[in-house]
Amino acid sequence: MATSERARECHDADQKRGLTRLMLRLPGLRDGFEQTSDEIFLDICEAYELAWIGLDFWARSEAPERAERIMEYEELAASLESEALIRGRKS
């Protein structure tokens, strides 16, 4: 499998997992989110998934900066939720 093909598969998988997380977090918007094919919205979904991966990493970390990083990733996830709400309604 070519590197670009593998990267695209990872990108698509992250978008799907992020979309699923958003639909679980915001169930009232599930139908609208499922119908959205807007590329910017899907990029937000991918970023949301990656933010949660980062949050999970820092939640399990014992590094001294753990608390600060957790707060940063929680803020990032909340910001992406807001962006998803705005973008999801436009689509």
Side-chain angles (χ1 to χ4, degrees):
M1 178 182 296
T3 303
S4 61
E5 198 175 313
R6 175 76 176 122
R8 183 70 201 168
E9 285 180 10
C10 290
H11 170 75
D12 291 347
D14 288 337
Q15 285 180 344
K16 289 177 187 173
R17 283 191 297 272
L19 176 59
T20 299
R21 281 187 195 271
L22 282 166
M23 290 189 306
L24 290 170
R25 179 85 170 135
L26 306 165
L29 299 171
R30 185 174 294 157
D31 291 338
F33 284 173
E34 283 182 318
Q35 302 301 318
T36 302
S37 60
D38 176 66
E39 195 60 37
I40 294 173
F41 176 78
L42 295 174
D43 287 345
I44 292 168
C45 292
E46 179 184 17
Y48 190 70
E49 175 62 16
L50 296 174
W52 275 98
I53 290 170
L55 182 56
D56 182 57
F57 171 84
W58 287 108
R60 291 183 282 113
S61 174
E62 294 180 17
E65 66 272 20
R66 174 184 183 268
E68 183 180 342
R69 296 294 177 253
I70 288 173
M71 189 170 31
E72 289 173 357
Y73 277 89
E74 286 174 340
E75 290 173 5
L76 177 58
S79 175
L80 289 165
E81 285 175 13
S82 296
E83 287 295 318
L85 283 168
I86 293 166
R87 196 69 195 186
R89 289 184 178 142
K90 287 183 179 179
S91 303

